[in-house]
Amino acid sequence: MQVLRGALYPGIPPAVLGPRPAACGSPPGRRLRVLRVLRDGPPDGATLTAPMTERRYDPRTIEPKWQAVWERERTWQVADDPDAGNPKAYVLEMLPYPSGEPHMGHLKNYSVGDAVAHFRRRTGFRVLHPMGYDAFGLPAENHAIRTGEHPRVSTAASIEQFQKQFREWGISIDWSREFGTHEPRYYRWTQWLFLRLLERGLAYRKEAAVNWCPNDQTVLANEQVIDGRCERCGTPVEARQLEQWFFRITDYADRLLDDLETIDWPPHVVTMQRNWIGRSKGAEVSFACPELDTEYPVFTTRPDTLFGATFFVMAPEHPDVLRLAAGTEHETEAREYINRALTESREERGSADREKTGVPLGRTVVNPVNGERIPVWVADYVLMEYGTGAIMAVPAHDERDHAFAVRFGLPIRRVVEGGEELPYTGDGPIVNSDPRFDGMHNREAMESIVDWLDSEGRGHRSVNYRLRDWLLSRQRYWGCPIPVVYCADCGIVPVPDDQLPVPLPDVTDYKPKGRSPLATAEAWVHTTCPSCGGPAERETDTMDTFVDSSWYFMRYCDADNDSAPWDPEILAQWMPVDQYIGGVEHAVLHLMYARFFTKALADMGLVSAQEPFKALFTQGMITRDGAKMSKSKGNVISPTAYVERYGADTARCYTLFIGPPDQDADWKDDGVEGVHRFLGRLWRLAADVAASGDVLVPESRANGAAGDDLELLRKAHWAIDKVTGDMTGRFAFNTAIAAVMELTNECYARRDAVQRETLAFALATAASLIFPFAPHCGADVYDMLTGRRVWEEPWPVADPALLERDVVELVVQVNGKLRDRVEAPAAAARDELESLARGRPRVQGYLDGKDVVKVVVVPGRLVNFVVR
Ligand SMILES: [Zn+2]
Ligand SMILES: [Zn+2]
């Protein structure tokens, strides 16, 4: 790609053209002389072209130069200003977890966010684009267990890597708001917010069966259990009963569901949230167990089928299962079955096609609608998380109950007419039930049966949710301490606000032993009760790290506040986040928890937004050779290598050009080369124009332009229109970058045929449009041509007059095959187009001696001759 060097204005050394103004400081506004020398040819004695070194696209020089300007001038820092006239835009990428070095996924994520931030700034928004680190968590702690190095040390080293690379990538971050969630100045407020939730009864303690990883010695959330194994270490998970802290997120289930309507999120994420909340309407009905003098409520969405219940099934986790089996002939078998079932994954257990397993408990319960005694079983297809952990089984009208009944020879009784075979899950008249309901349509019977049970006190209408309260206790070291103490006299006592933060003490042994490593910090554990002054012990569990990330986006708004988590007035200026960007793997947990926090804090008057993230974008993964990058596969590519070799602009542009950013895309090295050549071509063209004279004021100069000049101007305006469209309300960055490539190629092709101003305008436009994706190259090219700072320029606006083409390229086909292309007047009528196409010699060759049976004319596009 050295074709260009000197080819543009051959024979004119910079010395002849006069010195160029220094970068980033030249006086704007001078209209330029059109160089007569260009028309008259080179002056006597002029040598060829500038020295090579001056015309080489060298990101290693260009990128640090602009980074230094942005750093020195704090260009991306934004002030809180309630009176600022222009609208605000809060653009945020999910904060990184600092472990090791950033990977390609980070580069893509922050390149997407940066493009949005730049575009918003230049279209008139005051943009908040901050950065922080989700710094507590297991990887740093496991590293500490392996090496003895304090998690604080490895975390700091990783954060330094992230900071360095974010700067090298040229991401436009407001660094004045930076923090790590592990810093006391941050977690002090995490604790403060916990206490507010505690005051409102939204944080509470109860004993619960938890997933326990015996290797990591910690509690796992259900989502951290994959196929019955610990997500992190693969050890089979066990069930344990522990006193734990919970957040009452279920209080917000309806609002979390209903408010999904108010936000602009990808439909698949909304569906995942909806399913996670899992609201269903039905009835709760109680089945009595006279032998143990107790009763078990079940939730059903099909009360119309109650008369078809022929057995009763409990989840292996149900707290009463062992009590029911105790003393029966099935006790041992049941115990073994339960232990096995607990280690299996919920997805697998719940799957419809899986062969059903189960064990009878040797007990019966009474069906409240007909007094029938039906046997009780334990089976792993019933999950404790759904409903009450027990079901009435109606094998005639439920797939899984049917499979179970067939497998174990249990009775099957049809109670709804319809369908040839069982199970039948559709609607129809009620049969084999009570004379009161037989013959009634089942939908109607649902209501009548529940009304009747309600009047008898044996059931009532009910709504069930799949969502469970959020278990936040972790028996781990590297997390935010829970700010309560236990006093023998006063019970659970919150640490007063003015004693926050409860510091995370240093320990020497990070290894969990069934209790939090914090329990070994004796001097820290033993304290005085804030209420009675007597001896008390601190809570030694730490918080789930999802608590830290549930409110960090609010802290950015007022990050230095040391008397409150934020000033509500400042918060109101920025919240909600206008555009949130991150991986789809957070579609449920993080996004659900952040929404819960926002709503709970809104109820306390601490924030006015009801939703944290107005719009969400989830980017796709970058794969290599079709596979997810992972250390074990050895196919990981680090951004560092590419940034060193090609520069950050190439690496950034490529991650966005590779495909639609919301989809997975495969990394190809020759694709990287292609993007690099494009940026190099743009830069060299601009360097040549710049070297040929003074800086120019970009102006489209449409008036009077003709021929090549007009064509290039049209291309530039087409590119403005295309890129603007691709970035407005969507993230079609790949096609936006392709449009700038097209414009650049057009500049190259017409470089010798157009006036210098026209070429400069087209190149400056390309620079302006590529800036959100390749900020250094964009800034450098724009500066070379105009002496101005592209980021201070408003986003270009396409001139509609130049978008209307009066000449179009017509495709000529014969029997659907492309045979020729021809320029045609855009306004030409159909018959004119047809005769123009017919007149082409190449087309003639295909038509001679044939019968033209039909001519299809699409004005502005094509003419197709159908021949025989
Ligand atoms: Zn584990
Ligand atoms: Zn006390």
Side-chain angles (χ1 to χ4, degrees):
M1 264 309 297
Q2 309 200 339
V3 205
L4 265 195
R5 189 165 300 123
L8 195 49
Y9 302 116
I12 310 162
V16 174
L17 302 169
R20 256 180 38 62
C24 30
S26 43
R30 270 187 301 154
R31 281 304 280 126
L32 273 211
R33 56 205 161 103
V34 175
L35 293 170
R36 176 180 304 186
V37 72
L38 288 179
R39 292 194 294 267
D40 298 348
D44 291 344
T47 53
L48 277 175
T49 76
M52 282 180 67
T53 45
E54 278 192 41
R55 304 282 175 88
R56 198 174 133 240
Y57 170 54
D58 181 14
R60 266 180 268 197
T61 317
I62 296 166
E63 296 185 351
K65 179 176 87 184
W66 293 104
Q67 286 157 17
V69 172
W70 299 328
E71 190 86 9
R72 189 173 62 238
E73 302 186 3
R74 299 167 200 265
T75 310
W76 316 121
Q77 200 163 314
V78 60
D80 306 311
D81 179 4
D83 304 322
N86 50 358
K88 67 94 181 177
Y90 187 173
V91 179
L92 186 65
E93 299 93 81
M94 290 178 188
L95 84 178
Y97 183 85
S99 171
E101 288 192 25
H103 53 66
M104 276 300 174
H106 290 113
L107 180 64
K108 181 172 178 182
N109 189 30
Y110 298 105
S111 297
V112 169
D114 211 36
V116 176
H118 279 310
F119 183 68
R120 293 277 187 128
R121 283 188 194 102
R122 292 183 56 209
T123 48
F125 291 87
R126 221 155 39 94
V127 171
L128 174 58
H129 189 220
M131 182 62 70
Y133 310 94
D134 191 11
F136 278 134
L138 276 179
E141 182 159 344
N142 287 339
H143 172 82
I145 293 167
R146 278 197 311 275
T147 65
E149 184 176 59
H150 196 287
R152 201 183 293 121
V153 177
S154 57
T155 300
S158 175
I159 286 178
E160 211 175 290
Q161 275 301 317
F162 275 82
Q163 289 167 328
K164 179 169 172 279
Q165 297 206 26
F166 285 143
R167 285 182 161 91
E168 285 173 1
W169 299 347
I171 308 288
S172 62
I173 294 164
D174 179 349
W175 288 107
S176 70
R177 298 163 187 267
E178 185 191 24
F179 55 76
T181 58
H182 66 311
E183 296 174 48
R185 67 183 175 111
Y186 181 85
Y187 71 67
R188 168 186 181 184
W189 300 111
T190 308
Q191 293 173 343
W192 189 91
L193 291 169
F194 173 90
L195 294 175
R196 301 292 84 77
L197 292 166
L198 183 62
E199 281 165 6
R200 293 213 143 209
L202 290 172
Y204 68 97
R205 222 170 134 73
K206 73 164 184 199
E207 187 164 276
V210 294
N211 302 300
W212 178 261
C213 172
N215 178 48
D216 286 325
Q217 296 272 307
T218 192
V219 171
L220 302 171
N222 287 347
E223 301 71 36
Q224 294 170 311
V225 181
I226 312 291
D227 295 333
R229 289 167 185 275
C230 169
E231 176 191 57
R232 299 197 176 277
C233 70
T235 308
V237 170
E238 296 171 358
R240 270 209 187 182
Q241 293 285 329
L242 278 181
E243 264 281 286
Q244 306 274 294
W245 283 100
F246 287 85
F247 284 139
R248 213 178 289 279
I249 189 172
T250 50
D251 271 15
Y252 286 81
D254 284 321
R255 282 164 66 186
L256 288 168
L257 194 61
D258 296 342
D259 288 355
L260 288 170
E261 306 286 335
T262 68
I263 48 184
D264 176 18
W265 284 20
H268 63 284
V269 176
V270 170
T271 302
M272 286 164 86
Q273 292 247 325
R274 216 176 267 291
N275 293 345
W276 191 253
I277 298 165
R279 177 165 70 188
S280 51
K281 291 189 173 148
E284 195 172 290
V285 185
S286 283
F287 284 67
C289 177
E291 293 153 79
L292 294 185
D293 191 24
T294 183
E295 56 176 38
Y296 298 111
V298 300
F299 172 80
T300 175
T301 56
R302 294 292 305 274
D304 54 320
T305 64
L306 264 160
F307 290 89
T310 54
F311 56 99
F312 193 85
V313 190
M314 290 177 130
E317 297 88 346
H318 197 290
D320 255 18
V321 178
L322 286 171
R323 193 178 143 222
L324 278 165
T328 72
E329 53 177 319
H330 301 286
E331 184 173 358
T332 315
E333 196 190 349
R335 194 176 288 280
E336 282 168 10
Y337 179 79
I338 290 162
N339 278 338
R340 211 166 43 241
L342 291 182
T343 64
E344 290 179 345
S345 89
R346 280 152 179 80
E347 291 71 36
E348 207 185 312
R349 281 172 50 183
S351 134
D353 346 303
R354 189 180 186 216
E355 188 175 19
K356 298 288 171 282
T357 59
V359 170
L361 294 177
R363 303 280 184 186
T364 57
V365 291
V366 180
N367 185 341
V369 293
N370 55 13
E372 254 179 42
R373 281 183 169 251
I374 55 175
V376 182
W377 287 64
V378 57
D380 65 7
Y381 78 97
V382 176
L383 303 177
M384 196 62 212
E385 296 94 272
Y386 189 79
T388 60
I391 62 156
M392 60 169 205
V394 184
H397 305 291
D398 179 276
E399 309 260 355
R400 288 176 299 176
D401 294 349
H402 188 263
F404 193 86
V406 169
R407 169 100 162 72
F408 293 101
L410 293 159
I412 298 171
R413 183 193 304 147
R414 176 196 276 277
V415 292
V416 179
E417 271 309 355
E420 306 243 313
E421 284 175 30
L422 293 178
Y424 171 65
T425 55
D427 293 330
I430 296 289
V431 291
N432 300 330
S433 297
D434 183 278
R436 265 175 297 188
F437 309 114
D438 283 345
M440 203 182 255
H441 189 270
N442 72 311
R443 294 273 149 195
E444 200 186 330
M446 281 184 191
E447 304 299 321
S448 308
I449 291 175
V450 179
D451 286 341
W452 170 62
L453 284 171
D454 204 359
S455 68
E456 304 265 312
R458 280 180 283 175
H460 55 88
R461 283 195 174 70
S462 172
V463 178
N464 184 64
Y465 300 89
R466 186 173 175 269
L467 185 70
R468 302 281 101 161
D469 277 342
W470 171 8
L471 196 173
L472 66 118
S473 300
R474 294 290 180 273
Q475 292 70 46
R476 300 298 302 230
Y477 169 71
W478 190 232
C480 176
I482 297 171
V484 299
V485 302
Y486 299 95
C487 167
D489 292 330
C490 315
I492 298 172
V493 183
V495 174
D497 288 355
D498 60 10
Q499 292 175 28
L500 300 181
V502 173
L504 181 65
D506 282 346
V507 296
T508 47
D509 184 2
Y510 307 102
K511 210 170 266 150
K513 299 160 208 66
R515 52 179 199 157
S516 171
L518 284 184
T520 64
E522 297 277 335
W524 176 86
V525 171
H526 298 288
T527 182
T528 50
C529 169
S531 176
C532 69
E537 289 195 2
R538 292 192 189 277
E539 168 66 79
T540 58
D541 284 355
T542 54
M543 296 188 208
D544 180 1
T545 53
F546 277 117
V547 182
D548 308 326
S549 56
S550 288
W551 71 279
Y552 77 103
F553 42 89
M554 296 193 249
R555 181 65 178 174
Y556 283 141
C557 298
D558 195 10
D560 288 330
N561 197 325
D562 56 11
S563 57
W566 53 72
D567 173 336
E569 275 185 30
I570 293 177
L571 193 71
Q573 279 180 46
W574 294 115
M575 282 294 288
V577 173
D578 295 276
Q579 182 64 61
Y580 200 34
I581 297 142
V584 74
E585 65 272 22
H586 298 293
V588 178
L589 294 186
H590 162 58
L591 291 171
M592 189 74 82
Y593 293 155
R595 296 181 63 219
F596 158 66
F597 251 70
T598 305
K599 289 180 189 307
L601 299 181
D603 288 352
M604 299 175 203
L606 287 168
V607 54
S608 50
Q610 283 290 335
E611 284 287 335
F613 314 120
K614 212 158 107 187
L616 173 72
F617 178 82
T618 53
Q619 84 272 10
M621 220 175 19
I622 294 182
T623 56
R624 184 137 212 221
D625 305 322
K628 188 177 173 174
M629 289 186 213
S630 75
K631 278 184 193 148
S632 57
K633 288 198 197 92
N635 64 347
V636 177
I637 41 176
S638 121
T640 327
Y642 287 87
V643 171
E644 263 171 27
R645 177 150 178 213
Y646 298 101
D649 283 342
T650 295
R652 289 179 58 163
C653 262
Y654 181 63
T655 62
L656 302 180
F657 179 65
I658 191 169
D662 58 338
Q663 287 165 32
D664 292 352
D666 208 43
W667 185 274
K668 298 255 189 318
D669 281 351
D670 47 359
V672 184
E673 289 277 358
V675 169
H676 189 63
R677 279 196 299 274
F678 146 62
L679 293 176
R681 169 175 279 188
L682 171 61
W683 190 90
R684 277 189 303 271
L685 277 166
D688 283 339
V689 173
S692 70
D694 284 350
V695 290
L696 292 159
V697 174
E699 185 195 313
S700 71
R701 299 190 331 116
N703 293 340
D708 282 279
D709 285 274
L710 183 59
E711 284 308 306
L712 189 54
L713 282 178
R714 283 189 191 285
K715 194 70 188 180
H717 283 271
W718 166 83
I720 293 171
D721 187 56
K722 172 75 179 144
V723 175
T724 309
D726 284 347
M727 299 189 77
T728 307
R730 54 204 191 115
F731 290 73
F733 299 152
N734 54 326
T735 53
I737 293 168
V740 185
M741 287 177 171
E742 253 189 69
L743 171 59
T744 305
N745 290 342
E746 192 87 3
C747 289
Y748 179 70
R750 297 187 194 269
R751 68 195 183 282
D752 291 328
V754 296
Q755 296 197 49
R756 183 171 177 271
E757 281 100 332
T758 309
L759 187 58
F761 168 74
L763 289 167
T765 300
S768 177
L769 298 176
I770 205 66
F771 174 75
F773 314 107
H776 314 87
C777 181
D780 210 55
V781 167
Y782 202 84
D783 171 68
M784 281 196 284
L785 294 168
T786 70
R788 292 191 192 181
R789 303 167 147 204
V790 66
W791 63 87
E792 291 171 0
E793 302 276 317
W795 189 253
V797 179
D799 179 350
L802 284 165
L803 293 176
E804 287 162 23
R805 295 191 53 96
D806 43 29
V807 176
V808 294
E809 190 188 65
L810 197 67
V811 166
V812 186
Q813 299 175 329
V814 179
N815 283 348
K817 289 204 175 65
L818 173 68
R819 295 307 182 193
D820 204 0
R821 295 173 194 270
V822 57
E823 298 237 306
R830 284 164 181 274
D831 51 349
E832 287 175 73
L833 293 174
E834 185 184 329
S835 59
L836 183 71
R838 262 185 206 279
R840 303 289 290 177
R842 288 196 59 197
V843 177
Q844 277 296 317
Y846 289 99
L847 300 184
D848 278 352
K850 302 268 172 63
D851 262 358
V852 176
V853 293
K854 196 178 171 191
V855 184
V856 181
V857 180
V858 183
R861 303 292 286 274
L862 69 82
V863 176
N864 181 26
F865 296 97
V866 182
V867 299
R868 254 203 303 255

